[in-house]
Amino acid sequence: MFWIGEGGRYTFNVFLCGITMAELKFKEGMFVVVALPLPISKNFIYSVPEELTDVIRLGVPVFVPFGRRNLTGYIIGFTDNAPEGVRSVKEIVTPEPLFSSELLGLFTWIANYYLTSIGLIIKVSVPPRTTIREKIIVYAKEGILEGFKENDAAFVIYEELKKRALSKNYIKRKFKHSMDGYKLLLKKGLIYEEVVKTRPVKRGGKEGVQLTSPFDDDRYRELKKSAPKQAEVYKSVSLLPEGLPKSEIYKKFGNTYSVLKALSRKNLITFFEIPFSQKIPYIPKRGGKKPKLTQPQEKAMIKIRDAVEDERYETFLVFGITGSGKTEVYLRTVETLLKRGKGAIVLVPEISLTAQTIEVFKSRFGETVVVYHSRLAEKERVEVWKGIKVGKYRVVIGARFAIFAPVKNLGAIIVDEEHETTYKQKGKEPLYSARDAAVVRARLEKCICILGSATPSVESYYNGRNGKYTFISLPERIDERELPPVEIVDMRKEKDFLLSHSLIEKMRERVKKNEQTILFINRRGFSNYLLCRDCGFSPRCPFCDLTLTYHRKEGLLKCHYCNYEEPAPRLCPECNGSRFFYAGMGTERIEQYLAEKFPELKVMRMDFDTMRKKWAHLESFFRFRKGEANLLLGTQMVAKGFDLPMVTLVGVISGDTVLNFPDFRAQERTFQLLTQVAGRTGRGILGGEVVIQTYSPKHYAIKEAQFHNYEGFYKKELPIRKELNYPPFSRLTRIILSSSEKKIVETSSRQLVQMIEKIIRKKRLKIEVLGPAPCPLSRLKGKYRYHILLKCKKPFLVQQILLPLKNEYNPRNLHILYDIDPVDMM
Ligand code: ADP
Ligand code: ZN
């Protein structure tokens, strides 16, 4: 789905950023090209003060003037030419470069392909604390504000500022709607602003304390008389000869820094820095035994090793049915790389769902494996990033964001479950796809890329079949285990709309045999929506105009799109009626239903509501594997990756929820989801079976999933894509316009379409324009939404016409997102 400039990695920089041939090496007299984290696709040139010429290098973050402010930007190149009035770099933030030229190539490609700025990409990819920020602090002067009432905004702001100075950002947030009052105070001279710089703080690792020499009983007794607290602390430090973190002492004795200080002055204890190491709870230590490879695995490894030894770029599509041992192929690849002194990135769809991957890699390769993602605590993220950069960690596992990991001597990027849509960033710039970026980065680093899945995206499979990727197939399950038989239940014929007769019977059997069941349902909460049976009223989200989901335990109605919530009404707010109908169902309802029907069943629920705590999913996964529950009930979270031999039954409560989405990928998603869930069973010697409940038993996405038949699905799907000119036969761009004012979205989306069509006509481009039309989610979080769809065949064509529009067309009170290769059509 992409393309790289023929002339090497720097050509696309020239193509879109308006800078002619920047270079990667600095020589005296040159100027620096700086990328700023702003949503404009343009880079800036600065001169270098003499005292800094020695430390100027590619990748160094610099503090530079921009308009009336100063910002932190990143050096991405050097040039001999500067525009008139060029300004000068103020200082460097850290002397250490934050990225290599290969990574810069990746940033540049992403910026150009996804119509975003290099600076924004760099900013999201580098660790925190590499930025100098400017903050405006507001102070109050002595004075009296006359002619205002106590609840006037100006009055309230002034009173608050008299108490203490505040940052302007804070004031803006708190008094969003009354900044006029603020301006008035400024004008009257009652308050003033001051710009301060905040620097990245250099905090070392965690500090610990230990004894300087063996425990001395005499000194201890002495201390006990003169300073009992010191004595206590001294004693407790002595209990662990290797020392303990300061925080432990504080936990036990309260904040006793002065006591520690005193002990250290007496030379009884000393401070030391505890080296950082990543702690992942719930990962049991298992000796990673290496199985003998199956024949298809062996064949795959021959191809992969060949590319590794040749040090060439190559992308492999590993198409292996569920349970065929794809992970083992990844492991052997990494083993090969480590032996050659190389490293690897392993991308997983969602870090919270990859207990097993982390476990397997850790147990096989130990300390060199690290988990890297954007939600790590700031401190941990910095340490992990540093560790990766110096080569302490050579195998990086992470979600989307880990594609930017600065792995030394990168040998492979592995994208597990490559069809997952979580690889695409949604909703907020930069809207990049980590899977596609993986292929590009592999090219830039001259290394291999492995895309693996049992249900590849139609695009990747197409590329695999057309020779763009090397196709590798693992057609059988390990130990010749059969794929589980799948029963399709036609819910139109069932009495009970939650669980069919057949599914209930099968669940009963499992309880008797002490085997495990996984139940999959697409929605959390109790019911999809509440419906008043007297007047037909159904409560909706005031911001999204969608029905609210009823969460019974909390007694709340929640919007699953914006998190709005309100208490569930007892009486209908429209007609005062009391007869509510709970339409549809979610995890919570099934949980309750099971508790009533099968009181003997131990159910474990796994969804967004129950898995909020950090690592909670890991804990649940291992508890379920140990057999603490008979049944695991959950949303998507249970559909992925689990390899649990005791699970002999998988039930899909409603197989067609996704099928009816207004999205051209609805069939593909349905097939993938069902095939993946079905693949969670039959993995042990006990075998397994699957029940899928549906209202569309004849649909090909469901029928092919019944036989785990990817090729069958693909053969039916491809002609439809071709006929409608959808990917892989075209590239899509989706432009989403949103505003709190309906009128603005309507007019500007029409305007934008006109402008696009004009350019297309003038340049005679082959681009098809659809829309504007309201998005399927036409109102979201208080914003009205319209979208425009562009289809074309050639890469980097829409970018050329959209880039100038993006930079120039920015009506007030309107937000425009340009989504290249969208995965979300809602
Ligand atoms: P996939 O990722 O393709 O669904 P897994 O990699 O989870 O499949 O493999 C399924 C199971 O088979 C795992 O328990 C794995 O340890 C085991 N396995 C993989 N390769 C082999 C092999 N060559 N011999 C024996 N067992 C294997
Ligand atoms: Zn909402």
Side-chain angles (χ1 to χ4, degrees), residues 286 289-295 297 320-332 356 360 364 416-417 453-454 474 476-479 481 641-643 645 676 679-680 683:
R286 277 203 327 198
K289 262 199 271 102
K290 269 200 307 191
K292 190 172 167 325
L293 292 185
T294 62
Q295 216 176 16
Q297 283 173 331
I321 59 170
T322 53
S324 60
K326 291 183 288 295
T327 315
E328 190 59 38
V329 172
Y330 309 154
L331 288 165
R332 294 297 175 102
Q356 214 153 15
V360 172
R364 187 83 55 101
D416 190 23
E417 310 290 2
S453 175
L474 305 175
E476 274 154 36
R477 276 194 156 179
I478 297 295
D479 293 342
R481 257 166 223 147
F642 290 179
D643 182 20
Q676 293 286 347
R680 294 313 114 215
R683 290 176 160 248

Side-chain angles (χ1 to χ4, degrees), residues 26 28 48-57 60 92 95:
F26 182 68
E28 243 183 272
V48 179
E50 221 189 293
E51 70 273 15
L52 290 183
T53 48
D54 290 345
V55 279
I56 289 292
R57 270 185 294 168
V60 164
I92 60 165

Side-chain angles (χ1 to χ4, degrees), residues 38-97:
L38 303 169
I40 34 171
S41 303
K42 186 169 181 265
N43 299 311
F44 300 86
I45 295 176
Y46 292 90
S47 62
V48 179
E50 221 189 293
E51 70 273 15
L52 290 183
T53 48
D54 290 345
V55 279
I56 289 292
R57 270 185 294 168
L58 186 81
V60 164
V62 285
F63 196 56
V64 296
F66 183 76
R68 284 188 298 164
R69 305 182 277 167
N70 296 302
L71 291 172
T72 297
Y74 313 92
I75 300 182
I76 60 165
F78 309 100
T79 173
D80 291 318
N81 309 307
E84 220 156 286
V86 63
R87 297 165 84 180
S88 166
V89 169
K90 291 212 141 160
E91 57 182 300
I92 60 165
V93 184
T94 66
E96 242 180 295

Side-chain angles (χ1 to χ4, degrees), residues 541 543-544 559 561-562 564 781:
C541 171
F543 304 103
C544 304
C559 172
Y561 285 89
C562 74
Y564 166 84
K781 302 183 187 177

